[in-house]
Each structure stands twice: as C-alpha cells, then as structure tokens.
C-alpha cells in the first residue's frame, strides 16, 4: 500500500537513493552524498516541508519509493515569491514500483499544495526565472525544463493535462581538441577590446542569490581599452562539478551573455564566448555547456556560430487551474 506524507528531516538519505535510481540520464547530477540536497534544496529560504511530498510503501517497512518537489516563482522584480506561479520542479519514483501510478498521485499532491497557497498557473519543469528548485542538480548549466534525454517526462506530463510552453536548446563544446572559431571581425575587435576575468561575479537580485545559493561564479568581461575599460559585454561562468562525473570530463557552463545594447551585432558576444572557451581549455576543462531558449534566435545563432553542438532540448509545461 502506497501512502504519502510531507518531508521529514530523516528523509535525505532515502531521497538521494531515489534520485540516483530514477535520474540516470545525461542531465542529472549524481548525488554522491545527501548533503547535496541540503545545498541545493533544503537551504533555500523558501523551502517548505509541505512542498516536498514523499511516497512510501507501508507494506515494505515504510520504504520511500518516490517524491515530488514543488515551489513558487518570483515576482517581476525578482525580490520575493509570487504565489500565483506554482512550479513542479522534480518527480522521481524508484524503477519497478508502479512508476506512472505513483508519479501521477505525486503530481496531484503537488497541484493541491500549490493551488491551496494561491497558484493560478501550474508549471512543470523549472526554467528561469520560474525555478525555485532544480538549479545545480538537474539540467546542467541552468534550468531548461525537463530534458528530452528523459524520454518519459514529455508523455507523462502531457497525459496529466500539461502542454509545452517553451523549449530550451542545450549546447555543448568539447575542449579536447584545438579550438577554431573563425570570424573576420575578431582582429579589429581585439585592437579596441580586451577580456578580463573577475573571480567573484556580482549577484544581480534576491532571486539570483536564492537560486544560485553558495555558487561562486566567475565573471568574464569585454572592456573597451580606449574608453577607460568601459564594460561592453559580460558573461557568467560556473564549474558544473558533479555533471563532470556524468559526462566524463571536467565541465563548466556559461550562465548568461550580455552585450551593451548599442554594441550588438558587431561580434562582441562571439568574441567573448571564444575567449571563455580558450580560458576553460587552458584550465583543463573538457566540456563547456550553454543554454539558449528556442525563441531567442540571436542566442541560438551565437551558439551555432561558436561551433557548439546541440546535444539536448528542455521543455517546460503549463496547465490551466
């Protein structure tokens, strides 16, 4: 008999086991210790025991067989939670224990939890900025929704009334061979601009700090040497730690690339990405990953022109309450 309850402080070891048994595809972080759940989930200031629903088997000594994790997105200013945006961030069930049935019940429990607290929109699959949980554990560089490399996710959520509401393309570049990113504009750009590496990147908002947690990202800047090192472009990069165990190479991810509005379409973003790739290669990283929302063609084009390879696709889903 399968029963359900809220999270207890004694659950993390069993939850880590469920995670490792259930999330075996390329985009999941292997949990070598339950302490990683503390870092990326339980330490969030808005973590709610009621939002982590645990399924257990009463006939098997109350063995935990699955869980689902839900939370809320931020307001427009990224300064507080907005309880109208409910997000189902993760659903996991041990193989061989009636996964679809238990998974369905877990999603229903999440929906009840979210709507009782005011959610008028239900989302499945965290994607920025609607990503209270998931960053650091699933998806790689950022939160892309649920990945195509998890083939069961799409038919499962569609069967529960969720419809695709956006896709994110996952690109990677292997750094185990010489880099060649040709662009005729680079020689002129290098005469005016140089790349700087800032060992501690600034945190833009309360929500960034919540999602990133203890992350210590590096900031790359392209500065104008002829204008008092004015910042023309910047990007945030972080080490993907446990993903390297999954992929077989030390890995890093580019979180964000920004170019000053009046300097766009001149090749600065591509120059910056090429400099990041060379830096990571010099530091003996084997893979660099970058996510690009499918509805941002300029960012997708940047990835392709920088010779990154499309390796996966994430989808986020919405359901009307």
């Amino acid at each position: 008999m399968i029963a359900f309850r809220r999270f207890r402080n004694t659950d993390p070891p069993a939850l880590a086991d469920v995670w490792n048994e259930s999330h075996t595809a390329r985009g999941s972080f292997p949990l070598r210790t339950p302490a990683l759940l503390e870092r990326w989930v339980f330490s969030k200031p808005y973590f709610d025991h009621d939002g982590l629903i645990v399924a257990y088997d009463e006939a098997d000594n109350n063995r935990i067989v699955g869980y689902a994790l839900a939370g809320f997105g931020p307001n427009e200013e990224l300064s507080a939670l907005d309880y109208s945006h409910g997000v189902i961030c993760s659903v996991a069930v041990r193989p061989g224990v009636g996964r679809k049935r238990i998974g369905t019940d877990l999603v229903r429990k999440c929906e009840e939890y979210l709507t009782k607290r005011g959610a008028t929109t239900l989302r499945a699959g965290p994607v920025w900025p609607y990503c209270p949980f998931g960053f650091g554990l699933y998806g790689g560089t950022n939160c892309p929704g649920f990945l195509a490399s998890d083939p069961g996710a799409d038919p499962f959520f569609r069967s529960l009334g969720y419809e695709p509401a956006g896709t994110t393309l996952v690109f990677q570049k292997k750094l185990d061979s010489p880099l060649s990113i040709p662009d005729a504009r680079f020689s002129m750009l290098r005469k005016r601009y140089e790349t700087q590496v800032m060992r501690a990147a600034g945190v833009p908002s309360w929500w960034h700090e919540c999602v990133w947690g203890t992350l210590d990202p590096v900031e790359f800047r392209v500065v104008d040497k002829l204008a008092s090192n004015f910042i023309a472009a910047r990007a945030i990069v972080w080490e993907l730690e446990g993903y390297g165990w999954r992929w077989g190479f030390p890995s890093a991810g580019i979180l964000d690339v920004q170019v000053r509005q009046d300097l766009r379409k001149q090749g600065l973003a591509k120059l910056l990405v090429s400099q990041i790739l060379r830096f990571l290669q010099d530091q003996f990283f084997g893979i660099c990953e970058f996510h690009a929302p499918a509805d941002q063609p300029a960012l997708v084009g940047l990835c392709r022109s920088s010779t990154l390879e499309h390796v996966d696709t994430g989808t986020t889903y919405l359901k009307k309450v």
Side-chain angles (χ1 to χ4, degrees):
M1 179 67 179
I2 303 299
F4 302 88
R5 59 169 173 79
R6 71 200 291 261
F7 168 79
R8 296 173 182 168
N9 291 339
T10 55
D11 289 338
L15 295 180
D17 288 342
V18 173
W19 175 278
N20 288 327
E21 291 179 26
S22 305
H23 296 304
T24 58
R26 60 158 299 280
S28 58
F29 190 124
L31 297 182
R32 301 183 303 280
T33 167
L36 291 168
L37 293 173
E38 174 66 34
R39 177 184 180 185
W40 295 112
V41 179
F42 309 138
S43 64
K44 306 295 184 186
Y46 44 73
F47 172 70
D48 182 357
H49 285 56
D50 290 333
L52 178 47
I53 299 153
V54 174
Y56 62 97
D57 189 345
E58 293 179 317
D60 189 10
N61 198 30
N62 293 331
R63 177 174 178 254
I64 292 177
V65 296
Y67 74 86
L69 176 61
F72 299 91
N75 60 17
E76 291 185 5
E77 296 76 23
L78 304 182
S79 60
L81 291 180
D82 181 346
Y83 288 93
S84 67
H85 295 291
V87 187
I88 298 174
C89 300
S90 181
V91 180
V93 181
R94 293 183 192 266
V97 291
R99 299 185 74 172
K100 181 171 174 50
R101 175 177 57 83
I102 297 173
T104 298
D105 289 341
L106 284 167
V107 170
R108 300 300 188 208
K109 298 288 185 183
C110 284
E111 293 173 344
E112 292 174 8
Y113 163 77
L114 295 170
T115 54
K116 283 181 179 179
R117 284 158 178 77
T120 56
T121 299
L122 296 176
R123 182 181 298 271
V127 64
W128 181 265
Y130 304 108
C131 51
F133 306 102
F135 180 85
L137 289 177
Y138 180 90
T141 295
N142 211 335
C143 292
F146 292 125
L147 294 169
S149 53
D150 286 329
D154 184 75
F156 174 68
F157 282 103
R158 285 178 184 267
S159 72
L160 297 178
Y162 288 82
E163 294 295 332
T167 57
T168 299
L169 305 184
V170 179
F171 291 90
Q172 287 188 350
K173 176 67 175 178
K174 291 187 176 180
L175 304 174
D176 54 353
S177 59
L179 291 172
S180 177
I181 306 177
D183 193 306
R185 298 170 293 180
F186 283 178
S187 60
M188 292 299 297
L189 289 172
R190 290 192 182 101
K191 292 179 180 180
R192 177 158 190 164
Y193 300 98
E194 69 177 6
T195 303
Q196 297 178 347
V197 181
M198 315 299 292
R199 292 297 177 179
V203 180
S205 70
W206 173 81
W207 188 244
H208 283 86
E209 188 163 4
C210 289
V211 172
W212 290 358
T214 58
L215 186 69
D216 188 20
V218 174
E219 182 174 332
F220 286 76
R221 296 177 177 177
V222 173
V223 299
D224 190 335
K225 295 183 289 185
L226 304 182
S228 302
N229 285 339
F230 190 89
I231 300 173
R234 68 176 74 197
I236 303 297
V237 178
W238 71 289
E239 183 177 355
L240 296 180
E241 300 179 3
Y243 292 103
W245 290 83
R246 178 78 74 197
W247 301 337
F249 295 93
S251 303
I254 302 175
L255 262 178
D256 188 26
V257 173
Q258 298 181 19
V259 179
R260 208 175 78 177
Q261 183 74 30
D262 59 323
L263 296 176
R264 294 178 180 175
K265 298 184 179 181
Q266 298 182 25
L268 284 172
K270 187 175 178 182
L271 175 65
L272 178 55
V273 170
S274 70
Q275 293 297 317
I276 292 172
L277 294 176
R278 294 187 188 282
F279 176 89
L280 293 174
Q281 188 177 61
D282 289 344
Q283 298 297 313
F284 302 104
F285 284 91
I287 290 176
C288 179
E289 185 175 273
F290 193 7
H291 293 185
D295 61 358
Q296 296 185 25
L299 203 55
V300 174
L302 171 63
C303 293
R304 297 193 188 281
S305 67
S306 299
T307 68
L308 278 72
E309 177 187 1
H310 178 208
V311 298
D312 211 339
T313 300
T315 303
T316 186
Y317 303 82
L318 288 179
K319 181 179 181 180
K320 294 182 180 179
V321 176

